[in-house]
Amino acid sequence: MNLLLTEVAQATRRLADAGVPSPRFDAEELASFVHGVGRGELHRVADADFDARYWEAVARREAREPLQHITGRAFFRYLELRVGPGVFIPRPETESVAGWAIDAVRAMDVAEPVVVDLCTGSAAIALALAQEVPRSRVHAVELDEGALRWARENIAAVPEGSRVSLHQGDALTALTELNGQVDLVVANPPYIPLTEWEYVAPEARDHDPGLALFSGEDGLDTIRGLERAAHRLLRPGGVVVVEHADTQGGQVPWVFAEDRGWADAADHPDLNNRPRFATARREVP
């Protein structure tokens, strides 16, 4: 075993002892980042090329600084996004949300679907839709200036960004000019109850913006507001997709009730088969 692989094994043990959820992956990803090679090529790094910066990176991760803050990158579906302090780091479970939205837009009999991504953060969902549904026109809304800086970078970094319009504003009141014209609204809003602050993983609690995490005593305040915003924006027959916590399965579809003008409200599982996002269709008169 070469020096680097030995160091990766030691780093894995250190990260595991620190409570890092995926110690082996993170140890390899940090080595990959420091040496500029793919994770599958680490065995090719010669002992003479070992870089002491690796242990600096491991120490930061050991202190529960997010992996993505150390590397400056996050992978989301087919995208490599730029991330760092001030923006919510996209999670793998959100890929299921984006995937459902992409499939729904593809299935629509619309020449140029209009999509709105509320609470866009890094613009991960907006860019995934623009990339995988080339005929779509995507509007991304974000309130926080810190997150907007990262969204602008990500949108400017890929060709698909030319079809993403970024708007600074409140997700609940933005884009009145599009009222009744949108085919799909998607959102990964804040949904953690304030009462659960102490149970949130350090990577999120201490590094993600609080504005992107917490939403009222039951975590549903923003989702309730998004229900009205989506109803305002969508055309009759248009669809809304909203991520929520797995513990909120069964609650969120009730927010999109029939007496509020919705049909087909339902929950959907993530890759781990846990209820993760809700969908509904604006009722056709």
Side-chain angles (χ1 to χ4, degrees), residues 5 76 79 95 113 115 126 145 165 172 178 213 219 246 253 260 285:
L5 295 184
F76 187 84
L79 298 163
E95 294 189 19
V115 177
E145 182 59 48
S165 299
L172 307 188
L178 293 179
L213 297 177
D246 54 4
R260 292 178 175 269

Side-chain angles (χ1 to χ4, degrees), residues 79 123 126-127 129-131 133-140 151-167:
L79 298 163
L127 287 171
L129 276 152
Q131 182 183 70
V133 189
R135 55 198 176 90
S136 62
R137 293 179 290 135
V138 183
H139 296 267
R152 291 189 191 103
E153 283 196 37
N154 288 320
I155 289 170
V158 295
E160 296 82 8
S162 63
R163 288 185 292 103
V164 177
S165 299
L166 183 62
H167 309 264

Side-chain angles (χ1 to χ4, degrees), residues 191-200 213-219 248:
Y191 51 69
I192 300 175
L194 291 170
T195 54
E196 296 185 10
W197 182 90
E198 61 184 301
Y199 304 110
V200 178
L213 297 177
F214 302 101
S215 185
E217 292 300 312
D218 64 355
Q248 294 163 336

